[in-house]
Amino acid sequence: MSTPSAIESVLVENRVFEPSEATVKAARISGMDGYNALCAEAAADFEGFWARLARENVVWNKPFTKTLDESNAPFYKWFEDGELNASYNCLDKHMGTPNENKTAVIFEADGGEVTKTTYKELLAKVSQFANALKSRGINKGDRVLIYMPMTLEGVVAMQACARIGATHSVVFGGFSAKALQERIIDAGAVAVVTANFQMRGGKELPLKAIVDEGLSLGGCESIKTVLVFERTPTACNMVAGRDMTFTEALAGQSTECAPVMVGAEHPLFILFTSGSTGKPKGVQHATGGFVLWAKLTMDWTFDLRADDVFWCTADIGWITGHAYVAYGPLAAGATQIIFEGVPTYPNAGRFWQMIERHKCSIFYTAPTAIRSLIKSAESDAKVHPDASDLSSLRILGSVGEPINPEAWMWYYKNVGKEKCPIVDTFWQTETGGHMITPLPGATPLVPGSCTLPLPGIMAAIVDEAGHDVPNGSGGMLVIKRPWPSMIRTIWGDPERFKASYFPAEMGGTYYLAGDGAVRSADRGYFRITGRIDDVLNVSGHRMGTMEIESALVAKTDLVAEAAVVGRPDDLTGEAICAFVVLKRGVPTGDEAKAIAKQLRDWVAKEIGPIAKPKDIRFGENLPKTRSGKIMRRLLRSLAKGESITQDTSTLENPAILSQLGQAY
Ligand code: WT7
């Protein structure tokens, strides 16, 4: 008999962890009564609820008079006639308060050096950088592409853009030259902010060279300026007239710069993410709504207190690094840790050692990181959480992908010592901040469940026609009403925005998250079951299958056809599996291995190393219906290593299935 425990713990989860009485008492949103009261307020007067929160949590230079404009749905507008500045809300507002000389950022470099920056010092740095941008002719409305390591300077660059009303677009440092070029063109950026190199795991990796390569691919004539942070002493290529080091750019610039007030709907940033077609989507966020939600969810989800030391391990290249590194902690006046390196260098105890070193009290990371650290900790006591003093911790968080109950329990016991609530926060690049999450002083926790929507977030599970499904049955996750931090449009493609997120079959106003979900029969708790579109989640990184397919078939000398699917993976959540038809027939043995390597390197060059397929399978064809449609469900079964039990009678070429069995 097989052991049913693993399967059962996923399907039925009976463990419940109530918040302690002391936690409930001290919490900002106290107990389920506190939560229910806020939900009732939102239900009774939706706009009044948001208006109150926006007045209490954002400093407006000019107050708004209208809360929500739905006249051109789904192009919603929030607080439209209000004016503010995001950087003012993160920095200036703390001046003259006890936060002025509080540490804003504890930066720990890859190699271990620590530097601390107060709010006052950070304001000076941001202002000085903003002046440098202005002196290069960069102004309100311009787009600035940021391709930086995970350093304080990356946050400074983002805040400086916000200060002058320029719209930033951060591209994760792991993306390729080609990916960078596409994003520069799509955004119409006028400048790139980068570094000569980045340090990761003791290695010096090029950044500026990749920018140069991206710009040389053509179509990037809009770029007039490249600012280069000298992260390491190693020289890099500099183009006269276009490129400037940070030292040169900052020389002589004043450390004061008046923030430029912008309308609440002014685009604060564009962040590219993967969708179900080959072309990444430039998700556009608005200043007012984003700042409100970043600040408020720091207070609600993390129940932030004045003496907390907050640490979100996400890179600024992802939305988590926008909301919970670059803006939220600063808007909330927190002390935060920013970490440049990787969790396994110099050893896999780095996170735990850093929690001890900096007395971190709120720790927010991804399930992938937890799963890989479990593996290391279980085989080496020196890097086990028990080897560090983690008594400063009071709240743990998880983000980016479903957390399996086993990993949840390990995190709860070994890191949180059974006293720290885990907030499993479900959200997306498009939602701008948390949507469904427990509240540490209110919500009873169930491992593997993100529990309940935040007050004002009208999440539901529906069928294809938009009708609610009963608790216990699966369906599609939607949000029925707009919320302030939501995506405003896809940059330059409003039609794609409408078609991707607001399906006409559901009435055109429900936001479709793209995830499947189910609510528990007893508590109505949400559990996310995974994407329902052609989007994969690999180590918490979002990848479109079509994007990888396009990259593979672009290798025209080798590849005739390719199909990409995901398969479950214990460590990375999902793994990328590519089925490839070569122009030269089916390779075997060492030759197949060599070609598989060649294709992986190619995908790394086209998109980035994060998009490299884990498995590559070769066949002389792909399984297709008689009408020529690739049967992806069969490919998914093959990728999982399952024997094919589906009906294959509609298949044009059933013999192909056995050929595609071997993974390289
Ligand atoms: C997709 C969004 C959330 C910011 C970082 C990722 C998955 C995210 C959870 C969670 C289950 C989750 C979803 C979502 N996801 N958080 N707590 N439980 N799934 O943002 O790159 O836009 O990806 O990540 O599938 O749609 P993203």
Side-chain angles (χ1 to χ4, degrees):
M1 229 178 80
S2 67
T3 46
S5 62
I7 301 158
E8 266 178 11
S9 64
V10 174
L11 297 178
V12 185
E13 179 56 69
N14 293 319
R15 290 169 289 197
V16 180
F17 300 86
E18 302 275 349
S20 74
E21 241 173 78
T23 318
V24 172
K25 239 186 166 158
R28 200 180 256 106
I29 299 181
S30 177
M32 288 309 280
D33 290 349
Y35 169 76
N36 290 327
L38 281 165
C39 293
E41 185 191 343
D45 176 9
F46 187 68
E47 284 193 40
F49 168 80
W50 286 116
R52 174 178 76 77
L53 294 170
R55 286 190 189 106
E56 290 173 3
N57 290 282
V58 177
V59 184
W60 297 92
N61 185 57
K62 177 173 165 254
F64 59 90
T65 60
K66 187 166 169 47
T67 304
L68 170 63
D69 178 358
E70 300 186 75
S71 60
N72 189 25
F75 299 93
Y76 299 101
K77 288 175 176 159
W78 286 91
F79 323 119
E80 197 191 359
D81 60 350
E83 282 179 15
L84 76 160
N85 178 278
S87 161
Y88 184 96
N89 270 273
C90 294
L91 301 168
D92 307 60
K93 84 164 183 210
H94 299 301
M95 296 308 111
T97 78
N99 283 344
E100 181 171 314
N101 293 309
K102 179 176 176 175
T103 299
V105 175
I106 302 169
F107 173 71
E108 184 164 317
D110 185 61
E113 310 81 5
V114 175
T115 41
K116 295 186 180 180
T117 309
T118 66
Y119 273 92
K120 192 176 178 178
E121 290 161 350
L122 188 57
L123 172 61
K125 278 181 191 285
V126 167
S127 299
Q128 195 179 30
F129 199 79
N131 284 328
L133 292 174
K134 282 202 294 191
S135 76
R136 296 294 296 184
I138 298 160
N139 283 308
K140 180 177 169 189
D142 287 336
R143 273 85 58 207
V144 175
L145 193 126
I146 298 177
Y147 186 63
M148 284 286 271
M150 189 57 192
T151 50
L152 180 68
E153 286 71 16
V155 174
V156 168
M158 293 166 80
Q159 284 281 338
C161 287
R163 195 159 188 88
I164 61 170
T167 299
H168 58 69
S169 183
V170 185
V171 175
F172 175 61
F175 276 109
S176 70
K178 176 101 185 299
L180 197 60
Q181 175 221 18
E182 282 168 7
R183 285 156 177 76
I184 287 171
I185 294 173
D186 193 278
V190 300
V192 177
V193 180
T194 189
N196 57 349
F197 291 90
Q198 61 178 331
M199 292 301 301
R200 281 174 77 80
K203 291 198 198 80
E204 186 182 54
L205 306 169
L207 277 181
K208 173 61 164 54
I210 297 173
V211 172
D212 286 346
E213 191 190 334
L215 294 177
S216 76
L217 294 173
C220 300
E221 292 72 27
S222 58
I223 297 291
K224 301 287 182 253
T225 300
V226 178
L227 298 179
V228 185
F229 170 50
E230 305 104 309
R231 171 62 189 87
T232 70
T234 315
C236 68
N237 176 53
M238 297 292 281
V239 176
R242 187 194 72 184
D243 303 354
M244 242 186 174
T245 63
F246 268 35
T247 308
E248 288 163 350
L250 293 171
Q253 297 295 348
S254 159
T255 54
E256 279 175 36
C257 172
V260 173
M261 296 299 160
V262 299
E265 284 294 312
H266 182 71
L268 179 62
F269 64 86
I270 304 165
L271 183 58
F272 286 91
T273 190
S274 296
S276 33
T277 71
K279 195 175 181 284
K281 310 191 255 200
V283 173
Q284 181 181 322
H285 278 287
T287 307
F290 184 81
V291 169
L292 165 62
W293 203 231
K295 152 77 168 67
L296 190 57
T297 48
M298 286 296 299
D299 288 347
W300 279 2
T301 308
F302 299 115
D303 194 31
L304 191 80
R305 297 179 196 164
D307 58 355
D308 271 318
V309 176
F310 177 82
W311 184 14
C312 166
T313 66
D315 191 280
I316 52 166
W318 311 111
I319 189 69
T320 312
H322 282 57
Y324 302 108
V325 178
Y327 290 99
L330 300 175
T335 294
Q336 71 169 320
I337 298 167
I338 295 182
F339 175 44
E340 179 183 39
V342 297
T344 48
Y345 177 81
N347 59 58
R350 183 76 180 260
F351 276 1
W352 324 130
Q353 294 147 16
M354 281 183 62
I355 290 170
E356 172 177 339
R357 182 150 56 242
H358 304 301
K359 303 209 167 22
C360 170
S361 60
I362 306 175
F363 179 66
Y364 188 36
T365 195
T368 296
I370 299 166
R371 285 192 299 264
S372 86
L373 296 178
I374 294 176
K375 236 178 133 178
S376 315
E378 298 302 311
S379 61
D380 179 2
K382 287 195 294 299
V383 299
H384 194 280
D386 286 350
S388 298
D389 175 5
L390 305 184
S391 58
S392 55
L393 285 172
R394 80 184 179 87
I395 292 171
L396 301 175
S398 172
V399 58
E401 51 182 317
I403 178 163
N404 45 311
E406 291 70 26
W408 194 102
M409 284 308 305
W410 188 90
Y411 194 29
Y412 188 72
K413 284 192 178 144
N414 294 283
V415 183
K417 316 293 182 201
E418 299 182 47
K419 67 177 179 58
C420 302
I422 298 179
V423 290
D424 175 3
T425 60
F426 168 84
W427 57 295
Q428 309 175 298
T429 304
E430 293 88 343
T431 69
H434 302 153
M435 292 285 105
I436 309 180
T437 176
L439 298 172
T443 320
L445 305 171
V446 171
S449 167
C450 52
T451 74
L452 296 169
L454 286 172
I457 303 301
M458 306 305 183
I461 302 179
V462 300
D463 62 20
E464 255 137 45
H467 300 124
D468 286 2
V469 301
N471 288 358
S473 0
M476 290 179 272
L477 178 66
V478 295
I479 300 169
K480 291 185 169 179
R481 298 281 286 131
W483 66 100
S485 69
M486 70 192 296
I487 174 176
R488 292 305 192 268
T489 188
I490 293 175
W491 179 260
D493 201 348
E495 280 313 312
R496 188 174 176 199
F497 166 73
K498 259 170 103 161
S500 316
Y501 301 113
F502 297 91
E505 313 83 75
M506 293 184 185
T509 61
Y510 285 3
Y511 169 81
L512 181 70
D515 281 290
V518 57
R519 301 184 72 157
S520 65
D522 50 349
R523 294 169 184 268
Y525 275 11
F526 287 74
R527 190 165 58 78
I528 306 299
T529 51
R531 298 288 306 193
I532 51 172
D533 52 10
D534 296 321
V535 169
L536 306 181
N537 193 322
V538 183
S539 299
H541 296 156
R542 193 163 145 181
M543 295 299 329
T545 54
M546 294 280 285
E547 240 172 301
I548 306 167
E549 286 170 15
S550 309
L552 285 167
V553 297
K555 183 103 183 93
T556 48
D557 57 329
L558 266 181
V559 177
E561 208 178 1
V564 170
V565 299
R567 66 159 172 82
D569 183 279
D570 284 348
L571 211 57
T572 57
E574 275 187 294
I576 301 168
C577 183
F579 293 84
V580 179
V581 181
L582 295 177
K583 288 187 170 159
R584 43 158 324 285
V586 182
T588 53
D590 285 347
E591 197 193 1
K593 276 189 206 152
I595 296 178
K597 178 175 184 312
Q598 215 183 330
L599 292 178
R600 276 191 194 99
D601 292 346
W602 170 262
V603 171
K605 219 169 152 42
E606 287 285 294
I607 305 174
I610 54 174
K612 277 188 184 180
K614 185 152 186 180
D615 302 343
I616 296 187
R617 295 171 181 233
F618 299 104
E620 62 195 25
N621 212 327
L622 296 173
K624 287 185 186 160
T625 62
R626 293 204 170 86
S627 61
K629 222 169 119 51
I630 297 172
M631 294 183 76
R632 286 172 187 277
R633 66 184 168 85
L634 287 182
L635 292 180
R636 278 191 279 268
S637 297
L638 284 175
K640 272 192 232 170
E642 288 173 357
S643 48
I644 303 293
T645 53
Q646 291 107 321
D647 177 15
T648 54
S649 58
T650 53
L651 205 59
E652 168 76 36
N653 47 350
I656 194 67
L657 294 177
S658 56
Q659 211 178 60
L660 291 165
Q662 169 77 44
Y664 291 96

